[in-house]
C-alpha cells in the first residue's frame, strides 16, 4: 500500500453464509491472500456503489445520511500537506 500513489486500496468482504465462510474471510485477510470467494482487494482512482435500499454512508466518521448510490474519487495531490 502506497498512500501517495493516487489510488484507493479497496477491500470488499462478502457477507459470510456460515462459520466456514467466516473462517475463510478471516484467513484470507490475515494471510493477505484475498480469496475472491470471500474477499476482493483492488486499487482504483474512482469507485461507485449502488444499493438496493438506502444505506448509511460516511467518508470521515461523522453521520452522513443514507444513500442508494455513493461515489468516491481519489484526486491525486489535490491538497498540498505541509509538515
Amino acid at each position: 500500500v502506497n498512500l501517495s500513489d493516487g489510488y484507493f486500496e479497496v477491500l470488499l468482504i462478502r457477507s459470510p453464509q456460515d462459520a466456514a465462510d467466516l473462517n475463510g474471510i478471516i484467513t484470507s485477510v490475515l494471510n493477505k491472500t484475498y480469496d475472491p470467494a470471500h474477499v476482493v482487494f483492488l486499487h482504483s482512482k474512482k469507485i461507485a456503489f449502488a444499493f438496493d435500499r438506502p444505506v448509511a454512508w460516511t467518508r470521515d466518521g461523522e453521520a452522513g445520511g443514507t444513500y442508494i448510490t455513493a461515489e468516491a474519487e481519489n484526486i491525486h495531490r489535490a491538497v498540498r500537506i505541509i509538515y
Side-chain angles (χ1 to χ4, degrees):
V1 173
N2 181 347
L3 296 179
S4 63
D5 63 0
Y7 287 88
F8 291 118
E9 280 69 36
V10 181
L11 185 66
L12 303 172
I13 300 174
R14 299 182 195 279
S15 183
Q17 301 301 308
D18 53 35
D21 283 352
L22 182 58
N23 184 53
I25 291 167
I26 293 169
T27 301
S28 181
V29 171
L30 290 177
N31 293 334
K32 297 180 183 176
T33 55
Y34 309 120
D35 175 8
H38 303 291
V39 178
V40 176
F41 180 73
L42 53 98
H43 300 271
S44 181
K45 290 182 180 246
K46 187 174 183 178
I47 191 160
F49 297 95
F51 310 106
D52 293 334
R53 61 186 186 287
V55 172
W57 183 264
T58 181
R59 285 183 293 214
D60 60 5
E62 299 293 327
T66 58
Y67 299 86
I68 56 171
T69 61
E71 293 184 16
E73 183 174 0
N74 190 322
I75 303 171
H76 192 224
R77 297 188 178 172
V79 176
R80 183 173 175 211
I81 299 176
I82 301 171
Y83 52 96

